[in-house]
């Protein structure tokens, strides 16, 4: 559920929504949501001074409730 919500939010921000992938992994401290976007969209997802990424983390954290969730943003290498 969290991965789907995060993917929906990120797709609304970027210019290349088809390149958005959110992978959920279980780690020791909880859940890790890894967001992969097109390199041209990386700046949009991070935002000025990290504001957009921080806001995405806040929303996902609120949706998660008491469980621990970590969100990482990664660019897709198109070489």
């Amino acid at each position: 559920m969290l991965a789907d919500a995060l993917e929906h939010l990120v797709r609304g921000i970027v210019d290349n929504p088809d390149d958005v992938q959110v992978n959920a992994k279980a780690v020791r401290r909880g859940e890790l949501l890894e967001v992969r976007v097109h390199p041209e969209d990386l700046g949009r997802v991070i935002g000025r001074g990290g504001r957009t990424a921080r806001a995405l983390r806040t929303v996902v954290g609120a949706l998660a409730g008491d469980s621990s969730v970590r969100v990482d943003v990664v660019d897709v290498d198109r070489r």
Side-chain angles (χ1 to χ4, degrees), residues 26-78:
V27 293
R28 246 184 306 157
R29 292 185 167 185
E31 188 175 7
L32 169 66
L33 298 176
E34 189 176 80
V35 180
R36 294 186 179 272
V37 296
H38 193 275
E40 294 174 3
D41 294 327
L42 189 60
R44 285 182 173 272
V45 175
I46 294 173
R48 186 171 298 190
R51 288 184 196 156
T52 305
R54 193 174 319 121
L56 289 170
R57 287 182 180 112
T58 301
V59 170
V60 171
L63 290 173
D66 292 337
S67 61
S68 176
V69 176
R70 183 174 146 205
V71 177
D72 284 345
V73 179
V74 180
D75 67 328
V76 176
D77 190 16
R78 295 283 178 179

